[in-house]
Amino acid sequence: MTTSQDQPATTDRGSDFASVDDVRERFAAAGYLTDERLATTVFLQTRLDKPVLLEGPAGVGKTQLAQSLAAVTGRKLLRLQCYEGQDETKALYEWDYGKQLLYTQMLREKIGQIVDDTSTIAEAVERIADQDSVFFSERFLAPRPLLEAIASPEPVVLLIDEVDRADEALEAVLLELLAEYQISIPEIGTVVAEHAPYVVLTSNNTRDLSAALKRRCLHLFLDYPDAQRELDIIASKDTGLAESLATRLVEVVRQLRELDLRKAPSISETIDWARTLAVLGVSELSADVLSSTLNVVVKYERDLARALREVPALSDPNAEVPDSGHGHGHGHGEGHGHGHEEPKRPAPAPVPRTPVEDDDDLGGPSGREKRAAKDQPGRHDEAYYGSTSKPGSSSGSRSVSSGQGARSFQGTRKRPV
Ligand SMILES: Nc1ncnc2c1ncn2[C@@H]1O[C@H](COP(=O)(O)OP(=O)(O)OP(=O)(O)O)[C@@H](O)[C@H]1O
Ligand SMILES: [Mg+2]
């Protein structure tokens, strides 16, 4: 472990990419297909030594990007999976109390000698306190992923996954690491990275992240891929599905993303669906086939009911579908929505909501309330979020701005017939 007293941070350029194209090619060779924006962000991250913050719906390849970055650069992957209530002892380091206790018991005799000639308790405590630095030293430190990444003698990729699930306090703890690649331990000193790690943070946008955190990162909104890239991803996964069927499947999935589903199908679900259809030996995406396999990609009962009602349109190969970008509705991930242009294809007729459908998501009438309660903005003022709108206002500091969605939504096209 290197502390600031020993030497300053250095950066490691051994694993840098030669160019954006080099990123694309090496990631593709590792089975991860990037687009220009994504490849450029990764290239810049490795050149600027900046962490990257990936935001976007579930299943669009955020976590996989970090895993592929590790595979491609030959770096070890260290992962901090964030969750609500997580404290810094699970993220940074903690003192190994068990080991401290064991040592004090084994050294009982020696400790006895130290306090032997003292006459008062205060004096004895003072003597023991003089030994603090022995017990609060590197020997008794249990590093957790963040400290492990900073202290690693080898360059690593650090994945801080689903950072939006962590509390704001933990987010604040990250700031020093993200800006300086160092961690301060009061008892020991400041641990400085020998090699700047490649840090990838992911967020499903269940709450806003602080402006301070965003400022330290290259930010990328990772959306659903365009049709061609999604098709290429499926092809790269050896699903066993014929190309013509895969093409139709991607169209159907993109139509599903246009519906007002709570959870739109992700790339990983498209892959699952392709595998399912291949296993079933399907030769055509008929209404029957779609109806019997929709549950592979649509995971909520209410969503399934809606999707089933759309099956006649979905199974019609002449239906118009959006061209590129995500084109998804409001229902992906954790209830955040993206603004986007209106697709040419007329929106499906609103489906009347029954009380049962409304409440089925979390198993009862309080389900929607529970989800809405979870989907509240953080408790800080607008400066914290770097937003011009008040958290909780209708423009929704928790929602992904329309600009984000629009960035990758580039219009619509008519499906070639
Ligand atoms: N660009 C891509 N190239 C190849 N495979 C991809 C790509 N994007 C996604 N996938 C596939 O989708 C799967 C899901 O991706 P991943 O788990 O990284 O999603 P995520 O965005 O982290 O989702 P969540 O928010 O639910 O954690 C991956 O295992 C991979 O098979
Ligand atoms: Mg993930």
Side-chain angles (χ1 to χ4, degrees):
M1 196 153 80
T2 308
T3 59
S4 55
Q5 289 91 336
D6 301 324
Q7 71 177 75
T10 58
T11 58
D12 177 73
R13 303 225 162 263
S15 301
D16 279 0
F17 297 92
S19 63
V20 173
D21 283 344
D22 189 30
V23 173
R24 291 193 80 164
E25 283 159 21
R26 286 167 65 187
F27 268 74
Y32 189 92
L33 305 186
T34 56
D35 59 10
E36 191 71 14
R37 239 164 28 104
L38 188 49
T40 304
T41 306
V42 171
F43 179 67
L44 290 176
Q45 156 172 46
T46 59
R47 282 301 166 105
L48 302 175
D49 283 328
K50 273 204 146 213
V52 119
L53 169 62
L54 299 173
E55 289 195 274
V60 291
K62 302 185 294 298
T63 303
Q64 185 66 50
L65 180 97
Q67 291 167 335
S68 300
L69 181 60
V72 160
T73 57
R75 291 181 172 217
K76 183 177 170 189
L77 178 74
L78 294 172
R79 178 173 184 164
L80 177 71
Q81 186 68 46
C82 299
Y83 55 87
E84 210 175 318
Q86 187 176 33
D87 67 22
E88 59 183 73
T89 62
K90 294 285 173 279
L92 285 174
Y93 62 88
E94 60 188 323
W95 294 106
D96 190 339
Y97 293 121
K99 194 168 169 186
Q100 286 170 330
L101 203 62
L102 188 69
Y103 271 60
T104 50
Q105 289 195 338
M106 281 163 37
L107 295 169
R108 205 172 343 179
E109 213 174 293
K110 189 77 195 154
I111 292 168
Q113 287 168 12
I114 290 171
V115 294
D116 213 20
D117 62 336
T118 56
S119 48
T120 63
I121 289 183
E123 217 181 321
V125 167
E126 207 53 46
R127 284 276 175 84
I128 298 285
D130 287 346
Q131 310 302 318
D132 265 6
S133 58
V134 177
F135 286 96
F136 289 94
S137 62
E138 216 179 306
R139 185 184 301 280
F140 295 101
L141 199 61
R144 299 298 171 222
L146 300 183
L147 181 58
E148 234 183 295
I150 294 300
S152 170
E154 302 295 331
V156 298
V157 172
L158 171 63
L159 166 62
I160 304 174
D161 213 12
E162 307 190 358
V163 66
D164 52 326
R165 295 189 188 278
D167 300 326
E168 280 130 1
L170 189 71
E171 205 182 308
V173 165
L174 292 175
L175 298 181
E176 181 188 11
L177 181 149
L178 296 178
E180 320 281 343
Y181 295 126
Q182 65 177 42
I183 291 172
S184 300
I185 305 175
E187 297 86 348
I188 292 182
T190 303
V191 183
V192 183
E194 247 179 87
H195 310 277
Y198 293 153
V199 184
V200 177
L201 300 102
T202 78
S203 163
N204 283 70
N205 220 25
T206 57
R207 70 170 175 84
D208 266 338
L209 300 171
S210 69
L213 185 130
K214 287 195 167 176
R215 196 169 54 240
R216 283 161 173 77
C217 301
L218 294 170
H219 182 262
L220 181 71
F221 184 79
L222 205 56
D223 219 325
Y224 298 116
D226 61 30
Q228 186 55 53
R229 190 154 71 94
E230 190 153 12
L231 196 56
D232 291 344
I233 291 172
I234 293 178
S236 75
K237 300 289 175 189
D238 291 328
T239 58
L241 195 68
E243 197 188 331
S244 56
L245 269 184
T247 307
R248 272 291 296 130
L249 184 72
V250 167
E251 286 164 1
V252 169
V253 167
R254 294 171 69 74
Q255 281 173 272
L256 283 172
R257 287 182 191 145
E258 287 296 311
L259 302 181
D260 184 22
L261 301 182
R262 179 182 168 194
K263 168 69 180 73
S266 65
I267 301 175
S268 51
E269 279 148 347
T270 314
I271 296 167
D272 286 346
W273 208 3
R275 290 206 170 107
T276 305
L277 296 172
V279 166
L280 294 175
V282 164
S283 58
E284 192 197 347
L285 283 193
S286 63
D288 279 352
V289 167
L290 289 179
S291 302
S292 59
T293 57
L294 258 176
N295 59 325
V296 175
V297 288
V298 180
K299 307 283 173 68
Y300 290 92
E301 210 179 326
R302 188 188 74 192
D303 286 354
L304 194 56
R306 284 185 190 175
L308 284 172
R309 268 170 236 166
E310 288 297 315
V311 159
L314 294 172
S315 58
D316 173 9
N318 294 319
E320 288 176 16
V321 291
D323 177 18
S324 55
H326 66 311
H328 54 284
H330 318 283
H332 57 67
E334 304 292 324
H336 58 283
H338 302 194
H340 55 71
E341 295 169 29
E342 278 303 307
K344 276 182 194 163
R345 179 175 168 271
V351 180
R353 293 160 69 100
T354 66
V356 173
E357 284 178 358
D358 275 354
D359 295 331
D360 63 9
D361 290 336
L362 290 175
S366 60
R368 269 192 310 135
E369 285 155 35
K370 272 191 219 159
R371 205 151 53 79
K374 229 182 122 197
D375 199 22
Q376 287 305 308
R379 53 181 175 273
H380 298 286
D381 64 14
E382 55 190 63
Y384 180 88
Y385 299 105
S387 146
T388 49
S389 65
K390 275 200 163 60
S393 68
S394 60
S395 54
S397 64
R398 298 180 65 77
S399 303
V400 177
S401 74
S402 58
Q404 286 180 323
R407 268 210 293 277
S408 61
F409 187 80
Q410 297 154 1
T412 58
R413 75 170 164 83
K414 198 173 183 349
R415 200 190 75 83
V417 281

